[in-house]
């Protein structure tokens, strides 16, 4: 006779699987989140730390090399306490840890072509702020960005990019249109203006349109700033601070 009541064996197996699943989920949680460890830097101190690291990069004074050795790796193996989220471009010439002379576990990095913020990127940012307690978000654009250049080409030449590339650059087009409306001119001038405007738009969105970030911003626990990296002279220009 068929019964809807599971056997003791089935019940036990399900219970074990559930317990194993719960244990796995607990193990998946970062140790830092479980232990409540967070950066003790204020947003202003975090920004100053980035700026100092960049100054060391420009002077070839790699003072934090020890923060990338095996000891540092072992120190942070069970937890992470980054002091900044960096939203940057995937461009191989724009390596955040190098530009800001930081070590392992110091930057929570979200990168894609054009340093835009989609659902996945936003989720990563909110995780860093809400769970890890990161006090600073830096949105970093850069000179001669290929993704922004593609968006400029769409606006100026009606260029068509199919597939995922076209969808990737769609969020950048409003920045190009606004930069063009401001009258910077064409070519390199428009491209650079669009790079900066693309950063400004993202900073403004994060400051005003994302509920999860509004409270830490209001209470002074979070700062969101923009910057632009110059490929030629290696300098990062901080703005929207």
């Amino acid at each position: 006779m068929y019964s809807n009541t599971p056997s003791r064996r089935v019940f036990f197996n399900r219970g074990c699987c559930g317990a194993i699943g719960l244990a796995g989920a607990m193990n998946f949680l970062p140790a830092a989140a479980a232990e409540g460890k967070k950066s003790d830097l204020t947003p202003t101190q975090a920004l100053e730390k980035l700026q100092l690291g960049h100054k060391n990069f420009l002077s070839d004074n790699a003072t934090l090399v020890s923060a990338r050795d095996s000891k540092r790796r072992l120190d942070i193996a069970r937890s992470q306490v980054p002091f900044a989220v960096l939203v940057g471009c995937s461009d191989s010439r724009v390596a955040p840890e190098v530009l800001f002379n930081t070590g392992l576990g110091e930057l929570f990095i979200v990168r894609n072509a054009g340093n835009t913020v989609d659902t996945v990127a936003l989720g990563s940012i909110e995780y860093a702020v809400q769970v890890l307690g990161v006090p600073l978000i830096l949105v970093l654009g850069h000179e001669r960005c290929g993704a922004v250049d593609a968006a400029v080409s769409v606006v100026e030449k009606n260029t068509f990019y199919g597939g995922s590339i076209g969808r990737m650059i769609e969020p950048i087009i409003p920045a190009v249109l606004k930069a063009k409306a401001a009258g910077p001119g064409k070519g390199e001038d428009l491209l650079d203006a669009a790079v900066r405007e693309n950063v400004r738009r993202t900073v403004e969105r994060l400051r005003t349109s994302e509920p999860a970030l509004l409270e830490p911003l209001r209470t002074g626990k979070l700062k969101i700033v923009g910057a632009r990296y110059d490929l030629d002279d290696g300098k990062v220009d901080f703005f929207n601070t």
Side-chain angles (χ1 to χ4, degrees):
M1 181 177 177
Y2 178 77
S3 172
N4 288 328
T5 304
S7 69
R8 292 179 62 188
R9 178 176 296 177
V10 172
F11 181 83
F12 179 76
N13 287 341
R14 290 178 179 173
C16 286
C17 291
I20 291 171
L22 179 59
M26 290 300 292
N27 286 334
F28 178 77
L29 288 174
E35 298 171 7
K37 293 181 180 178
K38 298 179 180 179
S39 174
D40 58 1
L41 297 179
T42 67
T44 298
Q45 289 171 334
L47 179 58
E48 290 173 348
K49 183 176 175 67
L50 275 185
Q51 292 171 329
L52 176 60
H54 181 60
K55 181 179 179 180
N56 290 335
F57 163 74
L58 289 175
S59 64
D60 294 325
N61 181 19
T63 59
L64 297 178
V65 171
S66 60
R68 304 172 190 168
D69 60 13
S70 60
K71 181 181 183 303
R72 173 63 175 172
R73 173 175 54 81
L74 292 172
D75 286 344
I76 64 172
R78 297 292 298 174
S79 65
Q80 61 168 324
V81 189
F83 72 88
V85 176
L86 193 140
V87 181
C89 184
S90 298
D91 194 298
S92 61
R93 300 165 294 180
V94 188
E97 291 97 341
V98 177
L99 298 185
F100 298 103
N101 200 20
T102 53
L104 291 172
E106 294 193 292
L107 297 181
F108 193 91
I109 298 173
V110 180
R111 296 181 72 177
N112 54 57
N115 44 272
T116 58
V117 175
D118 59 9
T119 300
V120 175
L122 183 58
S124 299
I125 293 168
E126 290 183 359
Y127 173 82
V129 173
Q130 292 184 326
V131 179
L132 302 180
V134 173
L136 175 69
I137 300 172
L138 175 68
V139 181
L140 179 66
H142 69 93
E143 183 184 24
R144 293 191 290 273
C145 177
V148 178
D149 192 28
V152 170
S153 184
V154 170
V155 172
E156 291 285 274
K157 304 175 183 177
N158 202 29
T159 303
F160 174 76
Y161 294 93
S164 295
I165 294 178
R167 291 190 292 273
M168 177 188 71
I169 64 176
E170 281 179 6
I172 305 174
I173 291 176
V176 177
L177 293 172
K178 186 171 182 179
K180 183 177 180 180
K186 296 183 179 180
E188 187 76 14
D189 290 336
L190 175 57
L191 173 56
D192 200 55
V195 165
R196 290 180 179 272
E197 186 56 39
N198 187 43
V199 170
R200 289 189 188 97
R201 283 175 57 84
T202 299
V203 169
E204 186 65 16
R205 173 189 170 184
L206 295 177
R207 285 178 176 175
T208 61
S209 304
E210 304 304 333
L213 305 180
L214 294 180
E215 181 62 16
L217 281 167
R218 186 187 68 80
T219 58
K221 295 179 179 179
L222 177 67
K223 182 187 288 285
I224 304 174
V225 302
R228 178 255 193 201
Y229 174 60
D230 192 294
L231 295 172
D232 296 316
D233 63 23
K235 296 179 179 179
V236 171
D237 175 28
F238 293 86
F239 57 94
N240 278 106
T241 56

